[in-house]
Amino acid sequence: MGSGDSEASEQLLYWLREQHDQYGPKYACGVSQCGACTVLVDGAAVRSCTRQMHTVPEGAEVRTLDGLAGDRPHPLQRAVVSLQAGQCGFCLAGIVMGVLAWLEERIAAGDRKVPSDDEIKAFLSGTDGREGAENYICRCGAHQRIVAAIRDAAKEMVR
Ligand code: FES
Ligand code: FES
């Protein structure tokens, strides 16, 4: 995506939703605390509610939930649906994108192990020790099913 049509001080979330009809990323807390607005910028998870456009490099690849499915839904999407992982679903667009970045980074580094439930919980709570690790909040309390969905999707992604 090019950012030539943006105001430098505009947040990435509004640029995506209002100028590019990308409604996957959600506005929830608005202050980088929950992860509902997470998108990927050049493969890295970014909280779009607070990321100003002038910090997004020109020509950067921005991925949102909207573009995740190809010919068929992505394994993360299929797992979320098949396990009914959400209640309201508001958190899931951000969680799916954050998990996608995490799992793709592990796989690119040659780690094809399915993460344990404890590793998934540490990822979701932002306590896994990675640089820049951030937490993801589900206000409905559907975390157990979300963990199960991530585990199932990871099994497919590492094959
Ligand atoms: S809406 Fe961006 S982190 Fe909560
Ligand atoms: S399913 Fe409602 S916030 Fe997570």
Side-chain angles (χ1 to χ4, degrees):
M1 288 183 175
S3 56
D5 54 350
S6 68
E7 294 287 337
S9 61
E10 180 181 24
Q11 279 93 348
L12 175 58
L13 177 63
Y14 302 127
W15 182 76
L16 288 166
R17 290 181 63 91
E18 295 172 5
Q19 296 190 42
H20 294 277
D21 298 331
Q22 301 276 307
Y23 299 116
K26 302 290 188 279
Y27 180 91
C29 70
V31 289
S32 283
Q33 294 294 307
C34 74
C37 63
T38 299
V39 302
L40 305 193
V41 176
D42 288 336
V46 163
R47 305 225 150 167
S48 63
C49 66
T50 52
R51 177 60 65 92
Q52 295 193 333
M53 285 305 299
H54 71 83
T55 69
V56 178
E58 183 70 36
E61 182 193 30
V62 180
R63 295 170 71 191
T64 73
L65 186 70
D66 305 69
L68 187 56
D71 295 341
R72 58 197 298 247
H74 187 276
L76 280 163
Q77 294 172 303
R78 291 204 300 277
V80 161
V81 171
S82 68
L83 293 180
Q84 297 282 292
Q87 289 184 37
C88 76
F90 209 76
C91 64
L92 285 169
I95 289 176
V96 163
M97 297 311 291
V99 169
L100 177 69
W102 177 49
L103 294 177
E104 286 188 341
E105 187 180 311
R106 286 169 60 106
I107 292 167
D111 183 354
R112 303 193 79 85
K113 287 195 306 292
V114 176
S116 67
D117 285 8
D118 283 347
E119 287 176 303
I120 294 169
K121 289 173 188 173
F123 168 80
L124 291 172
S125 60
T127 59
D128 61 358
R130 287 171 307 113
E131 188 179 341
E134 295 185 285
N135 67 315
Y136 293 83
I137 294 173
C138 171
R139 290 167 181 77
C140 295
H143 296 92
Q144 296 293 349
R145 293 202 304 272
I146 291 170
V147 168
I150 294 170
R151 187 198 325 122
D152 278 11
K155 285 178 190 166
E156 194 169 341
M157 288 176 68
V158 300
R159 269 187 208 148

